[in-house]
Amino acid sequence: MIALGCDHGGYNLLGEIRAMLDGKGLEYRDFGAFSEESCDYPDFARAVAESVASGGAERGILVCSTGIGMSVAANKVRGVRAALCGDCFSAEMTRRHNDANILCLGARVTGAGLALKIAEIFLETPFDGGRHARRVAKITEMEL
Ligand code: RB5
């Protein structure tokens, strides 16, 4: 299950991401926002981050105008490793090396075609483990 969230700035792009997930038959839960009416991105970052951190969702995708606010907010939740990605290489590497569990996208920064490719790569790429597991464990230790 993939947890989805956006604010008004990310609403349209998240719609395209939902359509991509539908096309692949991937299950998701959309935590809103459900319109382009102005709203507060931390509310949706928190809902998605808590869903991922609790194990309710394996991954999350958050979209706001820049992706920055969503990533800052989501990373406040213990167990979350949210990565703001604007290119395919970063999306691949943050899965392989950081075991990132939430992808953040900036709808005013990254075009829809690229954003969908980034999301696909994020969802399909496994964690490399090995020495990267030791490094991720050190990040987790910082939360204690
Ligand atoms: C909303 O205007 C904007 O601040 C938000 O979408 C996001 O970019 C915050 O980081």
Side-chain angles (χ1 to χ4, degrees):
M1 214 274 283
I2 302 157
L4 303 178
C6 66
D7 71 353
H8 50 288
Y11 178 73
N12 287 320
L13 179 55
L14 193 64
E16 301 217 31
I17 290 170
R18 274 198 313 272
M20 179 269 283
L21 297 175
D22 285 337
K24 290 177 178 294
L26 293 175
E27 210 185 333
Y28 58 81
R29 178 171 172 196
D30 191 348
F31 287 87
F34 300 111
S35 80
E36 286 186 278
E37 192 178 327
S38 183
C39 60
D40 298 339
Y41 61 84
D43 297 338
F44 307 97
R46 182 173 189 166
V48 167
E50 288 181 346
S51 173
V52 171
S54 69
E58 293 148 45
R59 305 270 172 83
I61 299 177
L62 286 165
V63 191
C64 64
S65 296
T66 61
I68 298 170
M70 285 297 197
S71 57
V72 170
N75 276 313
K76 295 292 181 194
V77 174
R78 202 177 290 269
V80 163
R81 290 176 298 282
L84 170 57
C85 295
D87 63 89
C88 296
F89 181 73
S90 296
E92 179 187 337
M93 295 308 281
T94 200
R95 284 292 312 132
R96 290 181 54 194
H97 286 195
N98 313 128
D99 198 17
N101 47 18
I102 295 183
L103 170 67
C104 300
L105 293 163
R108 294 182 68 186
V109 182
T110 307
L114 177 56
L116 292 177
K117 193 71 202 162
I118 289 170
E120 284 180 2
I121 290 168
F122 182 81
L123 295 173
E124 288 166 6
T125 305
F127 179 44
D128 278 359
R131 67 186 185 281
H132 302 293
R134 182 182 72 239
R135 293 165 186 165
V136 170
K138 289 188 178 188
I139 297 173
T140 305
E141 277 172 25
M142 293 166 68
E143 296 176 335
L144 302 176

